[in-house]
Amino acid sequence: MPGRIRRGSLDLVLEPGETVLEGLLRGGVAVPSSCRAGACQACMQRAAAGDPGAASQQGLHPALREQGWFLACMSRPAGELTIADGEPPAIGAAITEVTPIGPAIVRVRLEPDEALSYRPGQYVQLIQDDQVRAYSLASSPVDGPRLDLHVRIHRHGRVSRWLAAATPGTRVRLRGPAGSCFYTEGRPEQPLLMVGTGTGLAPLYAIARDARRRGHTGRISLVHGARDPDGFYLVDELKRMVDETGAFRYVRCSMTGEIGGEIEVGELAAVTLRLFPDLKGWRVFLCGSPDWVIALKKQCFLRGAGLKDISTDAFLTAPTPAQPRAAVTASSR
């Protein structure tokens, strides 16, 4: 039986393989969307009746699942699905500061209208007009109410370019937090390996600081990858976290550059596995472009890390103007 969706005056039978998001858009309903892969949660809808499918609720907060919220881009209902009008809950926030921290990377500091309960390393959805983008939180609740985002400015990025030019006082809306890539207590002696590309450093920086603040005693190793040596940022802050005990290790890996010196040169996954060949008993955090995250997750598992001990945050961006609407660009946020 083909799926059928109802929303307001819309009554539409889905085509074979069509998602609820594609059906709504085909029916003329303006639904925000970005990654089209269930990561950014921009296309969230609420089921008033019917089953949107378990896959469409994966990764959502339990309270949202109980209220019937689901991700339209991941929903292919087998029967009839009635969708309620209205948007997911969001809070207002003001941009207080935009600071360049690296080549084509800015730190956007936000002051939310109400306190946001989150774990360092989770992400929020930032809403600007009809555009929704997911950004990892580089801050921690102990820093106060402010929220820090690391935003890479993409050439065709409507939201990233808008954020880079935003002035203090500019208003946005936020949804979240979401994501399971964060530090959990219980095994303070467990060694931690954190590997990220580009602004995948943002959640790792937050997680590393959070682990140390919570009294983690095991080794913490953070590997940051970039296309070239100019792509690194927060270098001084991370170097200051290194001490003589060897409890924190910071490695920079560039795909290009001269061999030798304090920067590793080579493909990030290969360098990581050379430096950390045995990961039995380790907890691993991987953040960055999806293809790379998936490949390295497999290699970490083959080298002894348990699947339950591997946390990932794959960064997906919206299609560029030259791409089809259904395409997904694998890139850092």
Side-chain angles (χ1 to χ4, degrees):
M1 176 181 176
R4 187 188 193 106
I5 56 175
R6 301 176 186 272
R7 188 180 191 273
S9 60
L10 177 69
D11 187 346
L12 184 145
V13 175
L14 294 174
E15 297 176 352
E18 190 175 35
T19 66
V20 168
L21 174 61
E22 292 166 340
L24 289 172
L25 294 175
R26 178 165 60 87
V29 180
V31 180
S33 64
S34 181
C35 74
R36 307 287 183 98
C40 72
Q41 301 186 5
C43 62
M44 200 183 305
Q45 301 288 304
R46 186 168 67 86
D51 182 9
S56 69
Q57 293 187 311
Q58 288 184 0
L60 294 184
H61 191 279
L64 293 175
R65 293 200 299 268
E66 291 175 6
Q67 295 169 31
W69 293 100
F70 68 97
L71 303 179
C73 69
M74 302 299 291
S75 176
R76 293 181 174 86
E80 188 170 294
L81 178 66
T82 301
I83 303 170
D85 289 328
E87 295 184 351
I91 62 173
I95 295 175
T96 61
E97 181 184 325
V98 179
T99 306
I101 56 175
I105 298 174
V106 294
R107 182 185 64 210
V108 178
R109 184 159 286 173
L110 304 167
E111 189 82 21
D113 293 346
E114 56 188 81
L116 185 69
S117 177
Y118 70 96
R119 297 296 299 270
Q122 289 190 294
Y123 62 89
V124 293
Q125 295 89 42
L126 183 146
I127 308 165
Q128 185 264 324
D129 291 337
D130 61 342
Q131 302 292 307
V132 183
R133 297 291 184 270
Y135 293 106
S136 292
L137 293 163
S139 51
S140 170
V142 299
D143 298 328
R146 76 164 197 258
L147 305 174
D148 286 351
L149 315 177
H150 295 173
V151 178
R152 177 176 295 281
I153 307 168
H154 294 277
R155 184 177 61 176
H156 298 292
R158 173 177 169 180
V159 175
S160 64
R161 289 187 290 112
W162 181 84
L163 284 171
T167 56
T170 301
R171 301 287 298 177
V172 297
R173 291 182 297 145
L174 302 174
R175 292 182 190 142
S180 58
C181 194
F182 54 82
Y183 177 77
T184 54
E185 296 175 292
R187 297 178 63 184
E189 76 291 341
Q190 185 180 31
L192 309 180
L193 173 61
M194 305 176 181
V195 191
T197 59
T199 51
L201 178 63
L204 300 181
Y205 174 68
I207 294 168
R209 293 175 61 224
D210 189 47
R212 287 164 64 106
R213 185 184 67 81
R214 292 174 182 272
H216 191 83
T217 57
R219 288 176 292 162
I220 302 175
S221 299
L222 191 156
V223 183
H224 185 208
R227 290 188 179 90
D228 56 64
D230 292 333
F232 299 112
Y233 69 99
L234 293 188
V235 175
D236 291 340
E237 290 89 334
L238 289 164
K239 283 185 174 181
R240 283 195 291 269
M241 292 174 63
V242 179
D243 57 32
E244 65 279 359
T245 66
F248 182 79
R249 182 181 181 185
Y250 168 47
V251 178
R252 286 173 286 167
C253 176
S254 172
M255 292 182 62
T256 61
E258 297 183 3
I259 304 296
E262 60 178 12
I263 298 178
E264 297 283 344
V265 178
E267 197 275 324
L268 179 59
V271 170
T272 299
L273 297 174
R274 173 172 58 80
L275 296 176
F276 304 93
D278 184 0
L279 294 172
K280 185 176 181 179
W282 287 63
R283 179 158 187 201
V284 180
F285 299 86
L286 307 174
C287 302
S289 58
D291 292 344
W292 172 85
V293 165
I294 293 170
L296 189 54
K297 179 180 179 179
K298 178 180 179 180
Q299 291 301 317
C300 289
F301 171 72
L302 293 175
R303 282 161 175 75
L307 285 178
K308 65 180 180 60
D309 284 330
I310 304 176
S311 299
T312 63
D313 187 1
F315 286 11
L316 299 166
T317 62
T320 67
Q323 293 176 300
R325 284 291 299 169
V328 173
T329 302
S331 177
S332 298
R333 292 187 188 124

